[in-house]
Amino acid sequence: MKKYHSIKELMEMAEEAQVSPGIIACKLEAELSNRSYEDVWQQMDQTIPVFMKSIRHGLGDKKKSSSGLVGGDARRLYDKEPLLLGRLAKRAAAYAVATAEANAKMMCIVACPTAGSCGIVPAVVAAVGEHIGAKREDYTRALFTAGAIGHVVAENACIAGAVGGCQAECGTAAGMAAAAAIDLLGGTTEQMKNAIALALKNLLGLACDPVAGLVEVPCVKRNGFEAVHTLVAVEMAMAGIQSQIPVDEVIQAMDEIGKLMPASIRETSLAGLAMTETGQKIAQQMSENHK
């Protein structure tokens, strides 16, 4: 099987074989790793309980993280009757915050694609899957699809905040989650390409400016925002709305923007929220607490 190096190539391979991009990804991984398709599939399948457990633990543990900056907000959001958001969107936001809070409390999570953006993919996949009554195999296939998108972005741009800002982390995660959601919904490859492009291009230029150098503020709540952002992209794509800029060109643009970003807003905590008056006070307090 030939390798894919772009979203266009991946989707063409899926169309030709008349299967989900996730199936292509699993087959290629099996071939490249010299393992059976079933073995590779099972390895991905085993991540699903970890995803779900991180959501449950994040919702169930109301305690603050060791820094005292985050904790308990996922449960507050989950328990609150929705005022403006639909139930699915609010659940996705709560799940994303829960997973990110679990990460801040050193619980077990799946970094997909990074720890700082760990809540977006599981939240969207879980919320959409629950909404449509997805089967276990559907979740597994959708995660392979998400992984394939992350692989292409990593090859052609970056997924690390230190390299490309938070657009590289949360932007990539949103694109991955959008593809997974379209897969779960039985959408077309064209809808998938548009959903990825819409999700990613509307996060271009997003700074990575963690307060006190911790993956907590603004990272935890940002996961909740981007989970809902992803659902908007999916809703648009499923309605037939197209991205005027093709998805692979959006990825190229992200790479260019990341290279143009100053180091101060690429995870160094030297600008943005980290250097606000309150941000500096928090950093100083953290420093004193660890002396």
Side-chain angles (χ1 to χ4, degrees):
M1 177 180 287
K2 68 175 184 178
K3 297 181 182 179
Y4 52 85
H5 301 283
S6 67
I7 304 298
K8 183 175 183 291
E9 289 178 342
L10 170 64
M11 297 307 172
E12 286 177 348
M13 291 170 68
E15 290 167 6
E16 184 178 346
Q18 296 186 321
V19 296
S20 158
I23 301 300
I24 298 296
C26 185
K27 287 183 177 179
L28 183 59
E29 175 64 22
E31 187 174 301
L32 292 175
S33 61
N34 197 29
R35 296 155 63 198
S36 70
Y37 177 89
E38 291 73 22
D39 184 37
V40 174
W41 180 274
Q42 185 60 30
Q43 184 178 7
M44 179 66 83
D45 184 78
Q46 289 172 358
T47 66
I48 296 172
V50 183
F51 277 125
M52 301 305 184
K53 191 175 183 179
S54 63
I55 291 172
R56 290 198 309 273
H57 282 188
L59 287 173
D61 188 336
K62 298 179 183 180
K63 296 191 297 292
K64 291 288 186 181
S65 61
S66 60
S67 70
L69 294 176
V70 300
D73 288 330
R75 191 73 212 189
R76 289 187 186 90
L77 183 58
Y78 184 81
D79 288 340
K80 176 72 176 177
E81 192 68 21
L83 298 174
L84 300 174
L85 292 178
R87 292 187 181 279
L88 187 155
K90 191 179 79 78
R91 193 184 317 133
Y95 286 177
V97 173
T99 305
E101 286 186 343
N103 175 58
K105 297 175 187 178
M106 305 302 289
M107 297 177 182
C108 184
I109 55 97
V110 178
C112 50
T114 64
S117 60
C118 66
I120 299 168
V121 172
V124 170
V125 169
V128 172
E130 290 170 2
H131 183 69
I132 66 172
K135 298 178 181 177
R136 178 74 171 247
E137 64 189 51
D138 298 323
Y139 284 113
T140 306
R141 185 191 64 249
L143 290 176
F144 270 111
T145 293
I149 305 310
H151 170 78
V152 171
V153 177
E155 181 177 325
N156 293 282
C158 59
I159 60 173
V163 178
C166 201
Q167 60 165 5
E169 297 203 22
C170 285
T172 301
M176 292 168 64
I182 297 286
D183 193 313
L184 286 171
L185 293 168
T188 66
T189 54
E190 189 64 25
Q191 289 169 327
M192 201 173 286
K193 287 188 289 186
N194 282 305
I196 300 164
L198 290 166
L200 180 53
K201 76 180 187 181
N202 286 292
L203 290 175
L204 293 179
L206 187 61
C208 182
D209 53 351
V211 172
L214 301 172
V215 187
E216 299 188 30
V217 178
C219 319
V220 169
K221 296 179 184 67
R222 180 172 286 171
N223 274 257
F225 277 95
E226 306 319 345
V228 177
H229 171 96
T230 300
L231 294 178
V232 175
V234 171
E235 195 78 65
M236 286 186 174
M238 292 297 285
I241 295 174
Q242 299 182 337
S243 170
Q244 293 299 319
I245 308 300
V247 60
D248 288 305
E249 292 182 32
V250 174
I251 294 171
Q252 291 172 2
M254 187 188 82
D255 183 45
E256 179 184 0
I257 292 170
K259 291 172 180 175
L260 290 170
M261 279 184 169
S264 59
I265 52 173
R266 286 190 280 116
E267 209 172 345
T268 57
S269 300
L270 295 176
L273 295 174
M275 292 302 289
T276 59
E277 181 179 349
T278 298
Q280 291 183 75
K281 286 180 179 178
I282 292 172
Q284 179 64 32
Q285 185 63 51
M286 295 295 104
S287 178
E288 292 175 358
N289 289 344
H290 285 85
K291 285 181 179 178

